Short mmCIF file of all heavy atoms in Angstrom, two decimals:
data_model
loop_
_atom_site.label_atom_id
_atom_site.label_comp_id
_atom_site.label_asym_id
_atom_site.label_seq_id
_atom_site.Cartn_x
_atom_site.Cartn_y
_atom_site.Cartn_z
N VAL A 1 69.76 -46.75 -64.06
CA VAL A 1 69.64 -46.82 -62.49
C VAL A 1 68.22 -46.63 -62.11
O VAL A 1 67.94 -46.75 -60.98
CB VAL A 1 70.57 -45.64 -61.87
CG1 VAL A 1 71.94 -45.85 -62.37
CG2 VAL A 1 69.95 -44.34 -62.23
N LYS A 2 67.38 -46.51 -62.97
CA LYS A 2 65.94 -46.26 -62.70
C LYS A 2 65.38 -47.42 -61.89
O LYS A 2 65.60 -48.55 -62.33
CB LYS A 2 65.09 -45.99 -64.01
CG LYS A 2 63.73 -45.51 -63.78
CD LYS A 2 63.04 -45.13 -65.04
CE LYS A 2 61.65 -44.59 -64.73
NZ LYS A 2 61.03 -44.16 -66.01
N GLY A 3 64.69 -47.16 -60.83
CA GLY A 3 64.08 -48.14 -60.05
C GLY A 3 65.09 -48.48 -58.88
O GLY A 3 64.57 -49.24 -57.97
N ARG A 4 66.25 -48.12 -58.90
CA ARG A 4 67.29 -48.60 -57.98
C ARG A 4 67.80 -47.44 -57.13
O ARG A 4 68.16 -47.49 -56.00
CB ARG A 4 68.42 -49.33 -58.58
CG ARG A 4 68.00 -50.67 -59.30
CD ARG A 4 69.20 -51.43 -59.84
NE ARG A 4 69.97 -50.66 -60.84
CZ ARG A 4 71.21 -50.35 -60.58
NH1 ARG A 4 71.82 -50.54 -59.50
NH2 ARG A 4 71.87 -49.67 -61.48
N PHE A 5 67.95 -46.23 -57.80
CA PHE A 5 68.54 -45.04 -57.18
C PHE A 5 67.44 -44.00 -56.99
O PHE A 5 66.53 -43.99 -57.73
CB PHE A 5 69.61 -44.39 -58.09
CG PHE A 5 70.83 -45.25 -58.31
CD1 PHE A 5 71.03 -46.47 -57.83
CD2 PHE A 5 71.93 -44.67 -58.86
CE1 PHE A 5 72.22 -47.22 -58.00
CE2 PHE A 5 73.08 -45.25 -59.16
CZ PHE A 5 73.27 -46.56 -58.61
N THR A 6 67.64 -43.24 -55.83
CA THR A 6 66.68 -42.14 -55.44
C THR A 6 67.50 -40.98 -55.08
O THR A 6 68.30 -40.95 -54.26
CB THR A 6 65.77 -42.58 -54.30
OG1 THR A 6 65.15 -43.79 -54.58
CG2 THR A 6 64.77 -41.51 -54.05
N ILE A 7 67.10 -39.89 -55.79
CA ILE A 7 67.84 -38.57 -55.49
C ILE A 7 66.80 -37.71 -54.64
O ILE A 7 65.60 -37.81 -54.84
CB ILE A 7 68.17 -37.78 -56.80
CG1 ILE A 7 68.94 -36.51 -56.53
CG2 ILE A 7 66.92 -37.53 -57.64
CD1 ILE A 7 69.59 -35.97 -57.70
N SER A 8 67.36 -37.06 -53.70
CA SER A 8 66.55 -36.21 -52.85
C SER A 8 67.30 -35.03 -52.39
O SER A 8 68.54 -35.03 -52.38
CB SER A 8 66.02 -37.03 -51.68
OG SER A 8 67.22 -37.39 -50.87
N ARG A 9 66.55 -33.90 -52.10
CA ARG A 9 67.12 -32.75 -51.49
C ARG A 9 67.15 -32.76 -49.96
O ARG A 9 66.25 -33.42 -49.33
CB ARG A 9 66.32 -31.49 -51.92
CG ARG A 9 66.89 -30.78 -53.20
CD ARG A 9 66.12 -29.40 -53.32
NE ARG A 9 64.81 -29.62 -53.90
CZ ARG A 9 64.53 -29.46 -55.21
NH1 ARG A 9 65.45 -29.08 -56.04
NH2 ARG A 9 63.34 -29.60 -55.65
N GLY A 10 68.25 -32.20 -49.39
CA GLY A 10 68.28 -32.15 -47.99
C GLY A 10 67.53 -30.91 -47.44
O GLY A 10 67.09 -30.11 -48.24
N TYR A 11 67.40 -30.90 -46.20
CA TYR A 11 66.70 -29.78 -45.53
C TYR A 11 67.58 -28.52 -45.61
O TYR A 11 67.01 -27.37 -45.75
CB TYR A 11 66.37 -30.08 -44.07
CG TYR A 11 65.26 -31.09 -43.93
CD1 TYR A 11 65.64 -32.36 -43.45
CD2 TYR A 11 63.94 -30.73 -44.23
CE1 TYR A 11 64.55 -33.33 -43.29
CE2 TYR A 11 62.95 -31.67 -44.06
CZ TYR A 11 63.22 -32.96 -43.62
OH TYR A 11 62.23 -33.92 -43.52
N ALA A 12 68.89 -28.61 -45.57
CA ALA A 12 69.83 -27.60 -45.65
C ALA A 12 69.98 -27.21 -47.22
O ALA A 12 69.88 -28.10 -48.08
CB ALA A 12 71.22 -27.99 -45.18
N ARG A 13 69.92 -25.97 -47.49
CA ARG A 13 70.05 -25.55 -48.94
C ARG A 13 71.37 -26.06 -49.53
O ARG A 13 72.34 -26.14 -48.80
CB ARG A 13 69.89 -24.04 -49.09
CG ARG A 13 68.54 -23.55 -48.72
CD ARG A 13 68.40 -21.99 -48.94
NE ARG A 13 67.05 -21.43 -48.70
CZ ARG A 13 66.07 -21.54 -49.48
NH1 ARG A 13 66.15 -22.03 -50.74
NH2 ARG A 13 64.98 -21.07 -49.09
N ASN A 14 71.34 -26.33 -50.79
CA ASN A 14 72.38 -26.84 -51.59
C ASN A 14 73.05 -28.06 -50.98
O ASN A 14 74.30 -28.22 -50.92
CB ASN A 14 73.47 -25.72 -51.65
CG ASN A 14 72.99 -24.54 -52.36
OD1 ASN A 14 72.31 -24.56 -53.42
ND2 ASN A 14 73.27 -23.28 -51.80
N THR A 15 72.16 -28.93 -50.49
CA THR A 15 72.58 -30.24 -49.98
C THR A 15 71.63 -31.31 -50.58
O THR A 15 70.36 -31.03 -50.55
CB THR A 15 72.54 -30.34 -48.40
OG1 THR A 15 73.32 -29.35 -47.90
CG2 THR A 15 72.88 -31.70 -47.99
N TRP A 16 72.18 -32.37 -51.21
CA TRP A 16 71.31 -33.40 -51.66
C TRP A 16 72.04 -34.71 -51.60
O TRP A 16 73.24 -34.82 -51.33
CB TRP A 16 70.94 -33.06 -53.16
CG TRP A 16 71.95 -32.84 -54.14
CD1 TRP A 16 72.40 -33.72 -55.18
CD2 TRP A 16 72.75 -31.63 -54.41
NE1 TRP A 16 73.25 -33.14 -55.96
CE2 TRP A 16 73.55 -31.77 -55.61
CE3 TRP A 16 72.74 -30.40 -53.84
CZ2 TRP A 16 74.45 -30.84 -56.03
CZ3 TRP A 16 73.71 -29.46 -54.24
CH2 TRP A 16 74.42 -29.71 -55.40
N TYR A 17 71.21 -35.80 -51.87
CA TYR A 17 71.60 -37.16 -51.63
C TYR A 17 71.24 -38.01 -52.77
O TYR A 17 70.46 -37.79 -53.61
CB TYR A 17 70.90 -37.63 -50.38
CG TYR A 17 71.09 -36.79 -49.16
CD1 TYR A 17 70.17 -35.82 -48.82
CD2 TYR A 17 72.26 -36.92 -48.32
CE1 TYR A 17 70.36 -35.03 -47.72
CE2 TYR A 17 72.40 -36.09 -47.21
CZ TYR A 17 71.49 -35.14 -46.91
OH TYR A 17 71.67 -34.41 -45.76
N LEU A 18 71.90 -39.25 -52.86
CA LEU A 18 71.68 -40.29 -53.79
C LEU A 18 71.64 -41.64 -52.98
O LEU A 18 72.61 -42.02 -52.57
CB LEU A 18 72.69 -40.31 -54.93
CG LEU A 18 72.33 -41.25 -55.99
CD1 LEU A 18 71.12 -40.88 -56.83
CD2 LEU A 18 73.58 -41.45 -56.95
N GLN A 19 70.42 -42.15 -52.84
CA GLN A 19 70.26 -43.43 -52.18
C GLN A 19 70.43 -44.42 -53.35
O GLN A 19 69.64 -44.38 -54.26
CB GLN A 19 68.99 -43.53 -51.54
CG GLN A 19 68.61 -44.91 -50.87
CD GLN A 19 69.65 -45.18 -49.81
OE1 GLN A 19 69.83 -44.35 -48.91
NE2 GLN A 19 70.15 -46.46 -49.73
N MET A 20 71.34 -45.36 -53.17
CA MET A 20 71.77 -46.42 -54.11
C MET A 20 71.44 -47.75 -53.58
O MET A 20 72.08 -48.28 -52.64
CB MET A 20 73.17 -46.22 -54.49
CG MET A 20 73.59 -44.89 -54.98
SD MET A 20 75.37 -44.57 -54.92
CE MET A 20 75.79 -45.70 -56.29
N ASN A 21 70.43 -48.42 -54.10
CA ASN A 21 70.10 -49.81 -53.72
C ASN A 21 70.29 -50.77 -54.92
O ASN A 21 70.35 -50.41 -56.05
CB ASN A 21 68.61 -49.82 -53.34
CG ASN A 21 68.29 -48.98 -52.18
OD1 ASN A 21 69.08 -48.81 -51.21
ND2 ASN A 21 67.07 -48.32 -52.09
N SER A 22 70.32 -52.08 -54.49
CA SER A 22 70.47 -53.11 -55.49
C SER A 22 71.71 -52.76 -56.37
O SER A 22 71.60 -52.95 -57.63
CB SER A 22 69.17 -53.31 -56.34
OG SER A 22 68.08 -53.60 -55.48
N LEU A 23 72.74 -52.49 -55.78
CA LEU A 23 73.91 -52.08 -56.63
C LEU A 23 74.53 -53.21 -57.39
O LEU A 23 74.46 -54.37 -57.01
CB LEU A 23 75.02 -51.56 -55.68
CG LEU A 23 74.78 -50.16 -55.09
CD1 LEU A 23 75.57 -49.79 -53.99
CD2 LEU A 23 75.07 -49.09 -56.29
N LYS A 24 74.99 -52.86 -58.56
CA LYS A 24 75.52 -53.81 -59.59
C LYS A 24 76.96 -53.54 -59.79
O LYS A 24 77.40 -52.29 -59.70
CB LYS A 24 74.82 -53.85 -60.84
CG LYS A 24 73.31 -54.07 -60.73
CD LYS A 24 72.58 -53.91 -62.05
CE LYS A 24 71.12 -54.15 -61.98
NZ LYS A 24 70.49 -53.93 -63.28
N PRO A 25 77.84 -54.49 -60.19
CA PRO A 25 79.10 -54.13 -60.60
C PRO A 25 79.27 -53.04 -61.69
O PRO A 25 80.26 -52.26 -61.60
CB PRO A 25 79.75 -55.43 -61.16
CG PRO A 25 78.91 -56.49 -60.34
CD PRO A 25 77.62 -55.90 -60.22
N GLU A 26 78.27 -52.91 -62.48
CA GLU A 26 78.34 -51.90 -63.55
C GLU A 26 78.12 -50.56 -62.93
O GLU A 26 78.45 -49.48 -63.64
CB GLU A 26 77.19 -52.16 -64.44
CG GLU A 26 77.25 -53.46 -65.26
CD GLU A 26 76.42 -54.50 -64.61
OE1 GLU A 26 76.75 -54.90 -63.44
OE2 GLU A 26 75.55 -55.01 -65.22
N ASP A 27 77.80 -50.39 -61.73
CA ASP A 27 77.66 -49.15 -61.03
C ASP A 27 78.99 -48.54 -60.48
O ASP A 27 79.05 -47.44 -60.04
CB ASP A 27 76.66 -49.24 -59.89
CG ASP A 27 75.20 -49.49 -60.32
OD1 ASP A 27 74.84 -48.91 -61.34
OD2 ASP A 27 74.66 -50.37 -59.57
N THR A 28 80.05 -49.44 -60.54
CA THR A 28 81.36 -48.93 -60.13
C THR A 28 81.86 -47.78 -60.91
O THR A 28 81.85 -47.82 -62.07
CB THR A 28 82.33 -50.12 -60.28
OG1 THR A 28 81.95 -51.23 -59.48
CG2 THR A 28 83.76 -49.75 -59.82
N ALA A 29 82.08 -46.73 -60.10
CA ALA A 29 82.51 -45.50 -60.78
C ALA A 29 82.79 -44.49 -59.70
O ALA A 29 82.61 -44.68 -58.52
CB ALA A 29 81.43 -44.92 -61.65
N VAL A 30 83.39 -43.29 -60.14
CA VAL A 30 83.57 -42.25 -59.25
C VAL A 30 82.28 -41.32 -59.43
O VAL A 30 81.99 -40.91 -60.46
CB VAL A 30 84.83 -41.34 -59.52
CG1 VAL A 30 84.86 -40.15 -58.60
CG2 VAL A 30 86.07 -42.20 -59.30
N TYR A 31 81.69 -41.05 -58.29
CA TYR A 31 80.40 -40.20 -58.41
C TYR A 31 80.64 -38.84 -57.97
O TYR A 31 81.33 -38.49 -56.95
CB TYR A 31 79.37 -40.85 -57.39
CG TYR A 31 78.77 -42.09 -58.04
CD1 TYR A 31 79.52 -43.32 -58.11
CD2 TYR A 31 77.42 -42.19 -58.54
CE1 TYR A 31 78.98 -44.47 -58.62
CE2 TYR A 31 76.91 -43.29 -59.00
CZ TYR A 31 77.70 -44.42 -59.08
OH TYR A 31 77.13 -45.62 -59.59
N TYR A 32 80.10 -37.88 -58.63
CA TYR A 32 80.21 -36.52 -58.53
C TYR A 32 78.85 -35.79 -58.34
O TYR A 32 77.90 -36.30 -59.02
CB TYR A 32 81.02 -35.87 -59.59
CG TYR A 32 82.42 -36.41 -59.96
CD1 TYR A 32 82.46 -37.52 -60.70
CD2 TYR A 32 83.45 -35.82 -59.40
CE1 TYR A 32 83.71 -37.96 -61.04
CE2 TYR A 32 84.68 -36.34 -59.66
CZ TYR A 32 84.76 -37.42 -60.49
OH TYR A 32 86.07 -37.91 -60.75
N CYS A 33 78.75 -34.70 -57.68
CA CYS A 33 77.63 -33.98 -57.69
C CYS A 33 77.85 -32.51 -58.39
O CYS A 33 79.00 -32.07 -58.34
CB CYS A 33 77.01 -33.71 -56.35
SG CYS A 33 78.19 -32.96 -55.13
N ASN A 34 76.88 -31.95 -58.84
CA ASN A 34 77.01 -30.68 -59.48
C ASN A 34 75.55 -30.19 -59.89
O ASN A 34 74.60 -30.88 -59.63
CB ASN A 34 77.76 -30.76 -60.84
CG ASN A 34 78.53 -29.49 -61.21
OD1 ASN A 34 77.99 -28.38 -61.16
ND2 ASN A 34 79.76 -29.56 -61.54
N PHE A 35 75.45 -28.94 -60.25
CA PHE A 35 74.19 -28.45 -60.67
C PHE A 35 73.96 -28.84 -62.04
O PHE A 35 74.86 -29.46 -62.69
CB PHE A 35 74.18 -26.88 -60.52
CG PHE A 35 74.28 -26.37 -59.15
CD1 PHE A 35 75.33 -25.46 -58.80
CD2 PHE A 35 73.53 -26.83 -58.15
CE1 PHE A 35 75.42 -24.96 -57.60
CE2 PHE A 35 73.68 -26.31 -56.82
CZ PHE A 35 74.64 -25.42 -56.57
N MET A 36 72.80 -28.57 -62.63
CA MET A 36 72.39 -28.98 -63.99
C MET A 36 72.02 -27.75 -64.76
O MET A 36 71.58 -26.69 -64.15
CB MET A 36 71.42 -29.96 -63.94
CG MET A 36 71.72 -31.29 -63.31
SD MET A 36 70.42 -32.55 -63.64
CE MET A 36 68.98 -31.76 -62.92
N GLY A 37 71.85 -27.79 -66.05
CA GLY A 37 71.35 -26.77 -66.79
C GLY A 37 72.14 -25.55 -66.69
O GLY A 37 73.46 -25.57 -66.72
#
């Protein structure tokens, strides 16, 4: 997804986004958010 997707934090705490551009059929999936580490 590098070069096509952009992750960003929102102004509200614990809010974030994923901008998805140039989508491909291979991107078809259920998308989830979670913390890491």
Side-chain angles (χ1 to χ4, degrees):
V1 307
K2 191 174 184 178
R4 300 186 297 117
F5 291 9
T6 303
I7 187 172
S8 61
R9 266 193 280 263
Y11 290 106
R13 291 186 180 276
N14 298 316
T15 302
W16 59 104
Y17 306 93
L18 184 68
Q19 179 66 46
M20 309 164 67
N21 298 326
S22 302
L23 284 164
K24 304 175 180 179
E26 300 94 297
D27 296 318
T28 296
V30 178
Y31 285 71
Y32 304 87
C33 58
N34 208 310
F35 299 127
M36 300 188 301

